[in-house]
Amino acid sequence: MQACVITLGCQMNEYDTHAIQSQLAGIGYSFVDNIHDADLVLLNTCAVRGKPVEKARSILGALRKEKRRRPVTVGLMGCLAQLPEGQVMGAQFGVDFMLGPGALTDLIPALQQKGFTSFAFKDELRDYAPPPPQGVLSAHVAITRGCNHKCTYCIVPTTRGPEVSRPAADILREVEALRAAGVVEVNLLGQNVNSYGLEPGLGPHRKLLPGFPSFAELLRMVGQLGLPRVRFITSHPINFTDDIIAAIAETPAVCRYIHLPVQAGSNRTLRRMAREYTREYYLERIAAIRSQLPDATISTDIICGFPGETEEDFEETLTLYDAVRFDMAFMFIYSERAGTPAAKHFDDIPHATKVARLMRLIERQKYWSLQQYRRWVGQTVEVLVKGPAHEANLMQGHTRGNHTVVVPNTTAPRPGLYSVRIAHATPHMLYAEGAAVPEGGFVTTAVLN
Ligand code: SAH
Ligand code: SF4
Ligand code: F3S
């Protein structure tokens, strides 16, 4: 029996895919990349914006064709499956079963029963923690699932349900098993990792649940297990407290990479997005991080063209860029999601205006990325090389600060940790000594001097 699991969306979905595969492997499946070779195809979907939903629709179309030609079982899973929109789509394309992201433990019954659906969120996360992947150097570990926030544009709280923290003992056991299997980097995952262990609710003053460590304490515990690298993603600014900054500063294994989505630079937009903080609060958190962790990489997520975003509001996002100097930013055009509070507003920004704003953000970000990346030119850094780069004779990996680095394959013949000297920087890439910058790639010095 051969299965093909297609993954769209974020790292949480990658983690879930691994959990799905480990359940399938347990009942005798092996895995193929091509749907034409598979007896079972599972589509692990994303619904955060229109694009991944369209992608899922086109894959479902291809799968319907395949089903007409030969017997193949198709399951619709992931965030889209949790929504009415996805369930209508699943029925329309004739999938055999649907499972929401909180119902992964129902996979085996679903395989046995045509028309099976399950969308209830289950609490017991411990039951399907995947075993360590073979020969992999970097692995995800979910520490929380779901989200309690109510950002007005966002569908994730609906698709993933309320926030649940996994017991620390389960997390530590899973990380330990990964370490024993040769993994050198773990990435602690959650929609908002830094509200790990907190009581249900919102805001900066949530208390700890009985028996749970805080996120800061968890970082220290995981950091002591002997892994060279511990990462975490994503953090919410409202709970990014000083004790977390101190835990990062004092735990050598914890990478100094902080992804702190701000979403917008104007207080008016932040309020209308229900982000729970102001621009000033965010900038104060950045200042706290920079004072304790001067070499930290800081990245963010931005939405442009939120309903009612004026030119003045947008320009405050640009001035925030200048104030923070992010290393990296993931920039999105607002995409209306049915059922979210923001969808009640008129999506009033013309697409061309959204695109023009996005382009201005990208330009500004490129400038700051280049400034930040060039800090590493001339320095010797640790790179986790994961595999071949696109260009010939180069391998690719990441620094502790999550910058992509290319390294000559003579220096790094196989995946692993290496120490390399950075010779050049572009806004997206660091080049280790001996790695030529491809034609057209522009080098730091050419721009700045
Ligand atoms: N839990 C994280 C990320 C959630 S989704 C957080 O709170 O920051 C990842 C990113 O997708 C978000 O940070 C946001 O920038 C973007 N996003 C979410 N909903 C969106 C929408 N409706 N349109 C455009 N971008 C969206
Ligand atoms: Fe969505 Fe906001 Fe929750 Fe992030 S914090 S997942 S943006 S609702
Ligand atoms: Fe997408 Fe669900 Fe992740 S909507 S971004 S796959 S949490």
Side-chain angles (χ1 to χ4, degrees):
M1 293 188 299
Q2 306 205 110
C4 171
V5 188
I6 303 169
T7 315
L8 308 174
C10 64
Q11 287 147 323
M12 197 58 99
N13 263 15
E14 289 172 18
Y15 181 79
D16 286 351
T17 285
H18 191 61
I20 291 167
Q21 287 177 326
S22 66
Q23 288 189 68
L24 293 176
I27 53 167
Y29 276 92
S30 57
F31 299 97
V32 289
D33 290 333
N34 194 319
I35 59 167
H36 306 303
D37 302 329
D39 309 298
L40 169 68
V41 182
L42 299 178
L43 182 55
N44 194 6
T45 55
C46 171
V48 76
R49 284 174 289 276
K51 268 213 181 113
V53 173
E54 285 322 304
K55 182 99 198 242
R57 187 189 297 280
S58 85
I59 296 171
L60 285 172
L63 290 171
R64 179 167 58 184
K65 272 197 199 138
E66 191 73 9
K67 269 175 97 62
R68 285 180 183 148
R69 290 200 293 124
R70 66 185 184 91
V72 51
T73 304
V74 174
L76 179 63
M77 301 184 70
C79 287
L80 182 59
Q82 192 66 29
L83 302 174
E85 181 188 9
Q87 290 156 18
V88 167
M89 222 187 267
Q92 185 191 343
F93 286 95
V95 302
D96 297 293
F97 64 87
M98 297 189 240
L99 293 182
L104 295 187
T105 44
D106 287 334
L107 180 57
I108 309 284
L111 289 172
Q112 290 154 352
Q113 204 180 318
K114 233 178 163 25
F116 188 96
T117 55
S118 176
F119 307 113
F121 293 106
K122 299 187 178 64
D123 279 345
E124 23 35 281
L125 301 166
R126 48 181 15 154
D127 288 348
Y128 69 94
Q134 289 301 305
V136 164
L137 294 177
S138 178
H140 301 311
V141 174
I143 65 164
T144 70
R145 301 181 67 93
C147 180
N148 283 351
H149 294 272
K150 296 180 166 56
C151 304
T152 54
Y153 50 82
C154 186
I155 200 70
V156 172
T158 312
T159 66
R160 290 270 169 184
E163 184 183 284
V164 184
S165 295
R166 282 179 76 190
D170 291 3
I171 296 168
L172 295 174
R173 198 180 313 118
E174 193 170 321
V175 173
E176 180 52 36
L178 291 167
R179 192 197 60 77
V183 165
V184 297
E185 178 182 84
V186 291
N187 192 10
L188 306 178
L189 291 185
Q191 294 307 327
N192 301 291
V193 278
N194 53 326
S195 50
Y196 177 81
L198 299 181
E199 280 182 343
L202 290 175
H205 304 300
R206 288 160 66 185
K207 290 200 186 65
L208 273 177
L209 287 162
F212 277 84
S214 66
F215 180 60
E217 288 161 342
L218 184 72
L219 275 182
R220 291 178 197 269
M221 290 189 242
V222 176
Q224 278 159 15
L225 294 178
L227 279 150
R229 287 187 176 194
V230 176
R231 303 184 169 287
F232 55 92
I233 202 166
T234 296
S235 302
H236 192 292
I238 198 70
N239 302 112
F240 207 82
T241 43
D242 289 340
D243 62 332
I244 297 173
I245 301 174
I248 301 168
E250 291 158 22
T251 315
V254 175
C255 293
R256 297 177 172 197
Y257 169 57
I258 298 163
H259 181 57
L260 204 61
V262 65
Q263 313 296 359
S266 103
N267 280 333
R268 182 175 161 272
T269 307
L270 287 171
R271 192 175 59 244
R272 296 173 61 253
M273 288 177 162
R275 281 296 287 181
E276 303 165 51
Y277 53 82
T278 59
R279 172 190 178 99
E280 292 71 27
Y281 182 92
Y282 185 86
L283 290 175
E284 189 277 323
R285 289 293 80 202
I286 296 290
I289 294 167
R290 287 257 155 81
S291 77
Q292 302 303 309
L293 304 164
D295 58 347
T297 299
I298 304 177
S299 65
T300 201
D301 289 348
I302 299 281
I303 296 175
C304 65
F306 184 75
E309 182 188 68
T310 63
E311 193 55 31
E312 292 71 37
D313 290 327
F314 171 71
E315 283 183 8
E316 289 197 55
T317 300
L318 290 176
T319 59
L320 183 104
Y321 268 30
D322 299 341
V324 180
R325 294 167 280 116
F326 295 110
D327 287 68
M328 305 142 198
F330 302 88
M331 295 162 269
F332 307 107
I333 281 179
Y334 171 71
S335 169
E336 186 178 286
R337 303 286 79 212
T340 58
K344 296 189 191 91
H345 297 290
F346 184 48
D347 186 4
D348 59 346
I349 315 289
H351 188 69
T353 307
K354 288 181 182 168
V355 172
R357 286 182 186 170
L358 182 71
M359 291 304 150
R360 286 171 70 193
L361 284 176
I362 290 173
E363 274 313 302
R364 188 70 61 102
Q365 184 50 44
K366 236 175 161 177
Y367 174 80
W368 287 119
S369 288
L370 188 56
Q371 311 296 312
Q372 295 290 14
Y373 278 47
R374 77 189 277 263
R375 291 187 299 150
W376 300 98
V377 173
Q379 299 211 38
T380 297
V381 299
E382 179 199 284
V383 183
L384 176 56
V385 171
K386 291 184 186 148
H390 292 303
E391 301 89 347
N393 305 325
L394 293 179
M395 298 285 274
Q396 185 164 312
H398 288 89
T399 64
R400 297 184 67 83
N402 210 31
H403 306 87
T404 310
V405 186
V406 286
V407 183
N409 61 7
T410 43
T411 311
R414 62 190 70 82
L417 283 174
Y418 292 87
S419 180
V420 301
R421 190 178 165 276
I422 301 300
H424 309 290
T426 67
H428 308 289
M429 191 81 85
L430 297 176
Y431 292 81
E433 202 117 61
V437 180
E439 204 149 335
F442 64 99
V443 183
T444 310
T445 43
V447 173
L448 294 166
N449 296 342

